[in-house]
Amino acid sequence: MHKNLDQYQFWTGYDHLQKTIKSTAKNEIHLAALAGSLSEDTETQLLKNSDGIPMVSLTGRKDQNQNWSMRWYEVEPKQYDYYANVTYTPKSWEEKDIYAVERKIIHKLKGFQPKDFFTWLNEFALVVNDHNAYQDLKSNSKNLQFLCSVMYCHVTETAEWHTLEFTINETTKAKFPGFYQRSGSRLEKSKLNITIWDKTNPSHKLKISNLGKTLIFHFPVNPPKDYFLSPKEIHFMGDIEIRSYGITLKIENLEYRLKTILEKDSDTLHGNFLRIGKKEINGNFFYVIPQGFVNFFIPGNMDEYFDDFFTLLIHGTQGRGGSQIHAKFQKTKQGQVNTITTYNEIKRKKFSLFGNDDSQKASNDFDFFAAWEESMLGDLK
């Protein structure tokens, strides 16, 4: 693990960009829409394009001092350093109202590509496998020092795995109450078991799980020297259980594929969901109200609602497939151009097992992640 000024400049620029976007946003609805989230209740907050489709756009330019100026809804921008455009096309599917969501983001920050992440992952796994090297890293890494100052950190070893555990606790609550309330409660209501591997090198694998508010990362004992250095096709297989309001949602074998093309001057990513094994929902809402009665209070029958959710996520209904991402990080003579496009379909009427009160707003996590980003940047400079 070593310093890297180019990556430091990239992530410093990215951090500054995100903070500028947040500070210039008209409201949280525009921020959520920029990230791909909208419902029919908030649709009227957006403008419509010439085809009458709800949309949001944002253009950014940097001055000589690297300060950003942002403009929402700029018409046909020519020169820019950041551009985002998101459209929400209303569609009907089996008499159900959905949006086909298309996002395109272009930014010209330079100094980091996906291959750099895999290099870091390789180095980190090798360090975790060496007790003394990990202790040295822990004593020098501002990233690990920050995490272990706001959570309980623990390392264990089995015959197959080194495990790094991070527990959200009372210290977290005291320092970042919003993060504790939102992310901590969501983690406590969930049970995750995610396995990640490179199809071309099956021994290159990683697991992420949780036990209540403890998030656990499993790294292999004695990983190969080329562990995840140049993956071609990464698969994610997840078993997920969410318990909330007396309802239990169980998902088994939800599989996602990320194809990577890592070249000298460009990195390309293509990601999409492949399949789901088993899903079921049962229990009594608020522990006492029968599920059939709950169906009056959410958008349609509960089983049907989640069946529809996974159909949209995995398969899609408009002939374009389910949720997908395509990204290209291209070095140029002038610097770097990074283009990210996504497509997914979502229901216009929303329901969340985690609730929709103020405690569940994404903004509650901001202070924690801002502090964490600062500590990660400290490791690069």
Side-chain angles (χ1 to χ4, degrees), residues 8 142-143 369 371-381:
Y8 173 79
K142 293 182 179 180
N143 182 7
F369 285 107
W372 189 16
E373 287 171 7
E374 185 176 345
S375 68
M376 286 189 283
L377 288 172
D379 281 353
L380 292 173
K381 187 176 181 181

Side-chain angles (χ1 to χ4, degrees), residues 124 126-141 144 148 153-155 163-166 219:
F124 188 73
L126 295 177
V127 166
V128 169
N129 190 60
D130 183 327
H131 175 77
N132 291 333
Y134 179 75
Q135 292 304 316
D136 287 343
L137 177 65
K138 190 174 178 180
S139 63
N140 294 311
S141 168
L144 283 173
C148 295
C153 298
H154 187 57
V155 179
T163 63
L164 276 61
E165 302 177 1
F166 300 91
F219 290 91

Side-chain angles (χ1 to χ4, degrees), residues 223-253:
K225 295 298 183 183
D226 61 343
Y227 178 80
F228 274 111
L229 258 185
S230 55
K232 301 293 189 299
E233 185 174 313
I234 305 171
H235 285 245
F236 303 75
M237 182 74 79
D239 294 336
I240 304 168
E241 181 177 309
I242 300 173
R243 304 171 304 280
S244 185
Y245 299 125
I247 295 292
T248 299
L249 173 66
K250 292 183 179 180
I251 304 161
E252 295 180 3
N253 297 330

Side-chain angles (χ1 to χ4, degrees), residues 2-15 62 66 107-113 116 331 335-336 338 376-377 379-381:
H2 48 78
K3 308 293 184 180
N4 189 305
L5 186 57
D6 288 339
Q7 291 183 31
Y8 173 79
Q9 291 175 339
F10 177 96
W11 289 112
T12 300
Y14 182 81
D15 180 60
K62 284 193 299 184
Q66 304 300 304
H107 68 78
K108 299 179 181 179
L109 298 172
K110 62 180 181 179
F112 176 85
Q113 293 179 286
D116 297 317
K331 289 184 178 180
Q336 188 170 319
N338 312 299
M376 286 189 283
L377 288 172
D379 281 353
L380 292 173
K381 187 176 181 181

Side-chain angles (χ1 to χ4, degrees), residues 63-330:
D63 62 22
Q64 293 181 341
N65 297 319
Q66 304 300 304
N67 293 317
W68 287 93
S69 62
M70 315 298 293
R71 292 188 64 182
W72 293 83
Y73 293 108
E74 182 174 346
V75 179
E76 297 183 358
K78 300 299 181 183
Q79 294 182 334
Y80 50 79
D81 298 297
Y82 171 88
Y83 176 68
N85 184 284
V86 190
T87 59
Y88 293 85
T89 306
K91 297 284 187 179
S92 292
W93 162 55
E94 296 181 351
E95 299 183 351
K96 299 165 187 173
D97 295 327
I98 65 171
Y99 291 118
V101 185
E102 297 182 73
R103 299 172 68 228
K104 184 172 186 178
I105 298 172
I106 301 172
H107 68 78
K108 299 179 181 179
L109 298 172
K110 62 180 181 179
F112 176 85
Q113 293 179 286
K115 64 168 65 75
D116 297 317
F117 168 77
F118 294 117
T119 298
W120 171 87
L121 179 60
N122 169 270
E123 293 176 353
F124 188 73
L126 295 177
V127 166
V128 169
N129 190 60
D130 183 327
H131 175 77
N132 291 333
Y134 179 75
Q135 292 304 316
D136 287 343
L137 177 65
K138 190 174 178 180
S139 63
N140 294 311
S141 168
K142 293 182 179 180
N143 182 7
L144 283 173
Q145 289 171 4
F146 167 76
L147 290 176
C148 295
S149 70
V150 301
M151 303 179 191
Y152 173 71
C153 298
H154 187 57
V155 179
T156 61
E157 181 179 343
T158 65
E160 187 178 4
W161 301 103
H162 295 287
T163 63
L164 276 61
E165 302 177 1
F166 300 91
T167 302
I168 297 174
N169 57 15
E170 291 301 312
T171 302
T172 318
K173 184 177 181 179
K175 294 184 177 181
F176 298 101
F179 173 77
Y180 179 91
Q181 181 65 28
R182 184 176 189 266
S183 292
S185 65
R186 289 183 173 215
L187 198 59
E188 192 169 38
K189 293 174 182 176
S190 306
K191 185 176 181 181
L192 310 173
N193 193 353
I194 302 170
T195 302
I196 306 166
W197 73 96
D198 179 12
K199 186 177 180 180
T200 56
N201 291 288
S203 64
H204 298 194
K205 57 184 178 179
L206 167 70
K207 287 177 62 177
I208 302 173
S209 62
N210 80 302
L211 185 61
K213 292 179 180 177
T214 299
L215 193 59
I216 308 168
F217 296 86
H218 308 252
F219 290 91
V221 171
N222 299 323
K225 295 298 183 183
D226 61 343
Y227 178 80
F228 274 111
L229 258 185
S230 55
K232 301 293 189 299
E233 185 174 313
I234 305 171
H235 285 245
F236 303 75
M237 182 74 79
D239 294 336
I240 304 168
E241 181 177 309
I242 300 173
R243 304 171 304 280
S244 185
Y245 299 125
I247 295 292
T248 299
L249 173 66
K250 292 183 179 180
I251 304 161
E252 295 180 3
N253 297 330
L254 178 62
E255 187 171 2
Y256 187 85
R257 176 181 61 196
L258 183 67
K259 291 185 176 181
T260 66
I261 303 173
L262 309 179
E263 299 175 325
K264 180 181 178 181
D265 293 325
S266 70
D267 288 355
T268 305
L269 308 176
H270 301 286
N272 65 286
F273 285 93
L274 294 180
R275 67 184 181 95
I276 187 172
K278 180 181 177 182
K279 59 183 181 297
E280 63 180 52
I281 186 166
N282 53 61
N284 291 329
F285 205 61
F286 291 122
Y287 304 96
V288 294
I289 305 174
Q291 180 177 320
F293 188 72
V294 177
N295 294 334
F296 288 104
F297 297 96
I298 69 167
N301 174 277
M302 185 173 284
D303 288 321
E304 181 183 338
Y305 183 87
F306 286 104
D307 282 343
D308 291 348
F309 173 84
F310 287 110
T311 295
L312 296 173
L313 182 72
I314 299 168
H315 305 292
T317 64
Q318 303 299 308
R320 296 184 56 178
S323 180
Q324 56 198 262
I325 183 171
H326 308 280
K328 186 168 187 177
F329 294 70
Q330 178 71 55

